[in-house]
Amino acid sequence: MRLRSGPRRRSPAGAEIKALHRRLGYFLLHCVEMCLTMAVGTVVLSLAFFGGAALIGYPELVAQVPCLSAVVLAVNVSVPMVAWMRFRHNGWQPTLEMAGARALWAQRASGARR
């Protein structure tokens, strides 16, 4: 019986599992980063916009102009999301696709039709 010397080789299945865990960890980190970025950014921008609207005489802007409020909310979610995605060196195509999904949501939420 011959003993091996040197580092032990991993089985291909073990390497695949490790790679899967690494990708899953990266995905979960990215998901948490995006959720926090959008949540904090949306709160800050919405407080600024709707607070400013209340200061100039529109305290119930959401009830008064729901279509505008849906568009403003979509922009308030998209701006921090786009900024974070570009900071993380994502390409323009996936970044704009995500922003476009927000715009589509605003259209549907506001009841706007073509």
Side-chain angles (χ1 to χ4, degrees):
M1 185 166 143
R2 193 170 174 193
L3 295 176
R4 282 188 184 179
S5 62
R8 186 174 172 199
R9 289 188 160 177
R10 292 184 191 265
S11 68
E16 289 177 12
I17 291 172
K18 188 172 182 175
L20 177 65
H21 284 173
R22 188 177 308 119
R23 286 192 305 253
L24 181 62
Y26 179 78
F27 170 76
L28 291 175
L29 174 66
H30 182 70
C31 185
V32 168
E33 286 176 348
M34 290 299 294
C35 288
L36 285 174
T37 300
M38 288 189 294
V40 170
T42 301
V43 167
V44 169
L45 292 175
S46 294
L47 284 175
F49 181 82
F50 292 109
L55 288 175
I56 63 170
Y58 297 97
E60 297 295 325
L61 189 62
V62 175
Q64 292 171 335
V65 191
C67 291
L68 175 65
S69 300
V71 170
V72 167
L73 186 58
V75 169
N76 289 350
V77 172
S78 296
V79 167
M81 176 187 63
V82 167
W84 186 254
M85 288 179 77
R86 292 303 298 159
F87 175 77
R88 296 282 287 168
H89 303 289
N90 288 40
W92 276 111
Q93 182 180 353
T95 302
L96 295 177
E97 287 172 358
M98 294 289 289
R102 292 290 121 209
L104 183 63
W105 172 84
Q107 178 192 14
R108 297 295 178 214
S110 67
R113 302 284 183 236
R114 285 195 270 178

